[in-house]
Amino acid sequence: MARVGMPRKWVFVCINERPQEHPRPSCLRRGAADVFEAMREETGRQGLVDVKVVASGCLEPCMVGPGIYVAPDDVWYGGVTVEDVPRIVEEHLAGDRPVEFLRIGREEFALSPLQGRTDLPPGMIPPA
């Protein structure tokens, strides 16, 4: 068996779970575990032994999850489904071309379920 060295790319898949009543969505409840498994399987199927897929806690773009971060490329993806995985693996992880329609940026990180709620003190989560 060949030894695998330091990964060329790291793929962090948020599988964070929050209680149902929490105002922010949970990537796990949006299918992130299936996305994580599909990503691991597809990188293996395509022979990408230099790509490491890692289950992660919260990556912060909760409003557009499941969220994925690819390093060292500094590419963020949101709303990823199992059906998107082969394209991400083939185009981005193997071909170094990010899948643009799935990319997210600062705007998505700024989304909040509390937007417009001026009745709450900073840091306060509203009751369910």
Side-chain angles (χ1 to χ4, degrees):
M1 179 176 272
R3 258 182 82 173
V4 178
M6 183 176 181
R8 178 177 57 87
K9 292 187 190 292
W10 296 82
V11 181
F12 297 92
V13 180
C14 176
I15 60 168
N16 191 50
E17 181 176 22
R18 288 192 174 87
Q20 186 71 34
E21 65 275 5
H22 196 283
R24 293 181 83 183
S26 168
C27 286
L28 190 69
R29 293 183 194 277
R30 290 182 166 181
D34 293 335
V35 170
F36 170 73
E37 286 303 322
M39 187 70 70
R40 287 178 42 132
E41 289 175 17
E42 189 64 24
T43 54
R45 189 173 10 266
Q46 293 194 29
L48 299 179
V49 296
D50 58 351
V51 173
K52 179 71 175 172
V53 179
V54 180
S56 170
C58 184
L59 293 172
E60 293 302 327
C62 309
M63 300 302 290
V64 294
I68 292 178
Y69 179 67
V70 180
D73 301 351
D74 196 27
V75 171
W76 290 90
Y77 291 118
V80 178
T81 66
V82 169
E83 292 77 23
D84 297 321
V85 169
R87 187 168 178 185
I88 292 171
V89 173
E90 183 177 331
E91 291 182 23
H92 185 175
L93 304 180
D96 291 321
R97 294 178 318 277
V99 179
E100 293 300 326
F101 84 93
L102 290 170
R103 285 184 82 168
I104 59 173
R106 294 188 187 282
E107 299 81 18
E108 288 80 12
F109 278 82
L111 295 174
S112 170
L114 307 180
Q115 198 161 1
R117 292 288 306 266
T118 58
D119 60 321
L120 299 170
M124 174 67 128
I125 295 175

